[in-house]
Every structure is written in structure tokens, then in C-alpha cells.
Amino acid sequence: MQDIPLRKIDHVRFFVGNARQSAFFYRNAFGFDVIAYAGLETKVKHEAGYVLRQGEITFVLTSPLSKDHPESQRLLTHGDGVMDIALDVPDVRGAFEEAVRRGATPVSAPEAREDEHGVFECATILAYGDTTHTFVNRDRYRGAFAPGYHPVGHDRYHPSTAKPVGLAAIDHIVGNVEEGKMNEWVEFYRKVLGFNQLVSFDDKDISTEYSALMSKVVQNGTGRVKFPINEPAKAKRRSQIDEYLQFYGGPGVQHIALITGDIVKTVRAMRANDVSFLRVPKAYYDSLQERVGTIKEDIDELADLGILVDKDDEGYMLQIFTKPVADRPTLFFEVIQRRGSKSFGKGNFKALFEAIEREQEIRGTL
Ligand code: FE2
């Protein structure tokens, strides 16, 4: 199927209970700048929104200001979570109409929002669960983010005091879907957006003694947008994907992988900011050199920080996962540095999932 031309992920929108406090978290723990704000002070009556930026990554945090907000039910169903993955496209109307023609469910029709900074175009389709994709085009827009948003001034935050941790771009965004639905969503991305299937992992790759999952990765024609899709697989005890589906109340975004050019520096800074990461046993590092060969990083330093390494034919990659960032065991983040490898860390799955299971055990959800 022909690719629907899309340039990159424009932003990720989180729907949260308290955007003001979430902004404080992502700013002080993850090192994002708060660059724009929408709310009562900017004549937006129904919601508050904070736009955060680090490198090429843009997060938008949105909270309803009353129960009458059309999306307010999301908070009860999901807790805080990702509502929308917005895609930057050269032609919003073309992308929307073609996607709907190929079977996508429309959420909101193309519109051109105008203010004194120009024209901002957007249109939205439905993806897995109630997660959406908004096609956006800001080629004719020069404002801080979108109409309604004002640049953040020193009265609300002090951007000069933000300490970036070196997060540069989004590598991939993973969705969890129900058992038996993975292929359906892979087909959605192939058929509707013209993505290609990159790799697949089955329960033999991704299983521990207790739990299992299956995963397939789809990406757009340029390879800039990568969406792995997971589903739970039958096992002795409950899969981490089942745990997610129960607590999120359905399918949704499981994790967002953020690229850094220096993972040691980034993870050191995030740890200093009190971000909690998953830990693998020390034994993982005893066999690391043997498994991945010589690498530039100091293995003792990686062990100290809990950073994992995997290699393939093209090189190696380093990765680490945060614990869930809210109360429900749902959304978490990955920090990733690529040194040639385009993989997703298959060699780390077992150690990693055992680490997740230890957390599930404590939560009583295994
Ligand atoms: Fe990942």
C-alpha cells in the first residue's frame, strides 16, 4: 500500500489529572523546558495545556477543567496516559481523507485554526483503543505551538533554570493491544498509513518462566516513525501486557523510547533527578563482554547505572527502562542510545521481563 506521506512525530499528547504538576515532573525529572501554555489566562475555557520541549521531542500535557470536558472520562478509565500521537504531514486533508478511505475511523475532520501567528491545520483518526493520531501541519504557523497557546513567561516558570538531560528525539512508541489483536493493528498501520512490517518477536523470543508476549514492529517509509505493537501470550502466570490492559482499561501506549547521544550522562542526570529505573541482577554484567564484545562504554559504569546492551550485525545499542511514571502500572519510558544497531534489544528481553515480573510480584499482579 502506498505510504501516506508523513515527516515525523510532531508531538505526543498526554491526558492527565493535573497538567500543572505533570509539567513540573517532566521538567525537573526528565529535563524538559516548558515552552507554551493554554488555559483560562489564554482564553481557553475547558482545559489546561502545557507544551514541553527537549531536543526534537515535544510533549503536550492536557487536563480538563471540568467534568463536562468531552474527554474527561479518560481519567477515570485510564488514569494519566497518552491520548494522541500527532504526525507531521505535508497535506492534512489529503492524509485524513486517504486514511479514512482506507478504513480509518475519523475522530475530527480537517480544520484550519487561525490566529495572529498564522494557520495551524489538523485532523484526527482513531488508532488502538481510544488512542488517536492527529495529522498536523504547521508550515504556515509561526506561533509558540498552536492557536490558544501562549509562550511561557517568567511569571509561571523560569525556563532558564531547566536542566536538559540530553534527550534528543523519539525513537519508537509501543502500543499494547488485547490478545489476538496484534495482527489486526499491524494490518491497520500497513493498510491505512502504508507502513512496513520491520520485525516480529514471538513468545519464544519473549518469554520467561511465567509470562509471555508477542510483538511486531511497523514503520513508515522513511523509517523515522516506528510503532511496535505488543499482545499478551498464554503463559503460566499473568503477562505484563495483561497487567497493563487491566489497569489502563484497554489498549494504549505502553512506552515511549527517547534517544540520547550519551546514555551514561543522560541516565546519571535522570537518576540525580530521582527518576526510578528497572534493575537487572548484577549477574547480567558478568557475561556482557562475552555477549556483545568490545564496546566504547565502561561496563562497570553501565552496571552501576543499570544500563543494558544488545548487539546485532550492524552494531550495538544501549537501553534502560523507567518504572511506571504514574500510580497505575501502565506508561513508562525507555532511554536508548544507538551505536549502529537498529534493534529493539531482543537480547535483553529475558533479563528485562524478569525484572518487570519482580515488580509485578510486589504489586500482586503476576
Ligand atoms: Fe522499546
Side-chain angles (χ1 to χ4, degrees):
M1 190 66 77
Q2 187 81 36
D3 225 17
I4 286 186
L6 57 94
R7 295 162 173 161
K8 60 182 191 324
I9 293 172
D10 186 84
H11 64 270
V12 178
R13 183 184 298 274
F14 302 73
F15 202 73
V16 299
N18 189 332
R20 187 179 172 85
Q21 288 189 7
S22 291
F24 189 81
F25 171 79
Y26 285 107
R27 177 170 175 273
N28 289 302
F30 280 61
F32 280 81
D33 268 329
V34 179
I35 62 159
Y37 167 77
L40 295 174
E41 298 86 342
T42 72
K43 302 197 166 49
V44 173
K45 302 284 186 220
H46 67 304
E47 63 186 28
Y50 291 78
V51 181
L52 288 83
R53 170 91 31 89
Q54 186 169 185
E56 292 173 20
I57 310 161
T58 305
F59 288 167
V60 182
L61 307 167
T62 299
S63 281
L65 294 180
S66 85
K67 68 173 179 19
D68 300 324
H69 187 290
E71 303 290 342
S72 62
Q73 189 59 34
R74 279 177 186 267
L75 291 177
L76 276 177
T77 310
H78 304 311
D80 291 2
V82 172
M83 170 182 177
D84 183 71
I85 301 166
L87 303 167
D88 174 11
V89 298
D91 175 8
V92 167
R93 180 169 293 278
F96 176 84
E97 284 175 356
E98 184 59 18
V100 171
R101 198 183 63 78
R102 296 180 189 179
T105 303
V107 174
S108 59
E111 58 175 317
R113 296 188 197 157
E114 240 179 297
D115 69 6
E116 69 270 32
H117 304 293
V119 184
F120 175 88
E121 288 176 87
C122 58
T124 305
I125 59 165
L126 193 63
Y128 43 81
D130 58 7
T131 313
T132 56
H133 288 305
T134 297
F135 299 117
V136 307
N137 182 284
R138 53 179 80 252
D139 291 352
R140 293 184 291 149
Y141 193 70
R142 296 285 164 264
F145 177 68
Y149 287 84
H150 288 194
V152 163
H154 287 257
D155 54 335
R156 189 167 285 271
Y157 282 103
H158 300 277
S160 56
T161 62
K163 282 180 289 197
V165 300
L167 297 171
I170 293 173
D171 187 86
H172 58 274
I173 300 180
V174 182
N176 282 343
V177 301
E178 305 96 323
E179 190 177 340
K181 296 285 186 184
M182 175 181 68
N183 285 328
E184 221 171 90
W185 286 104
V186 166
E187 270 316 292
F188 168 86
Y189 283 103
R190 284 163 57 110
K191 202 176 123 224
V192 171
L193 293 179
F195 281 28
N196 307 304
Q197 191 191 317
L198 197 59
V199 275
S200 75
F201 308 101
D202 62 20
D203 50 354
K204 279 173 234 41
D205 297 318
I206 318 183
S207 74
T208 62
E209 194 189 340
Y210 293 130
S211 68
L213 66 88
M214 299 205 280
S215 188
K216 286 184 176 175
V217 184
V218 290
Q219 69 170 13
N220 78 323
T222 65
R224 278 198 78 175
V225 181
K226 292 192 279 281
F227 295 148
I229 310 282
N230 295 334
E231 72 173 25
K234 289 252 181 297
K236 272 195 216 162
R237 294 174 82 175
R238 238 152 48 107
S239 161
Q240 50 168 308
I241 310 303
D242 288 317
E243 184 195 38
Y244 176 99
L245 294 169
Q246 183 198 331
F247 282 93
Y248 193 72
V253 170
Q254 178 209 38
H255 76 264
I256 302 175
L258 304 172
I259 295 181
T260 169
D262 184 345
I263 196 166
V264 169
K265 214 167 138 190
T266 298
V267 172
R268 218 178 260 300
M270 290 173 77
R271 279 198 186 283
N273 294 343
D274 233 1
V275 175
S276 300
F277 291 95
L278 280 176
R279 280 270 180 201
V280 298
K282 286 277 179 224
Y284 172 91
Y285 295 94
D286 298 341
S287 57
L288 185 60
Q289 177 111 51
E290 197 182 319
R291 190 162 64 79
V292 299
T294 307
I295 56 172
K296 286 187 180 154
E297 293 74 15
D298 176 40
I299 289 184
D300 289 338
E301 201 167 30
L302 298 181
D304 181 43
L305 292 168
I307 295 166
L308 310 176
V309 190
D310 197 23
K311 78 176 271 213
D312 60 16
D313 303 341
E314 296 172 280
Y316 66 99
M317 55 91 91
L318 306 108
Q319 64 184 166
I320 190 168
F321 295 84
T322 71
K323 292 186 179 179
V325 290
D327 295 309
R328 300 190 196 193
T330 53
L331 178 72
F332 59 89
F333 289 86
E334 173 180 354
V335 178
I336 180 169
Q337 181 181 1
R338 295 194 179 279
R339 290 203 185 271
S341 167
K342 295 194 189 78
S343 92
F344 294 84
K346 179 175 159 179
N348 291 324
F349 286 166
K350 194 171 162 56
L352 198 61
F353 295 156
E354 284 170 352
I356 293 174
E357 282 169 13
R358 282 193 294 278
E359 302 281 319
Q360 278 185 273
E361 187 85 70
I362 296 167
R363 293 194 282 262
T365 58
L366 185 60

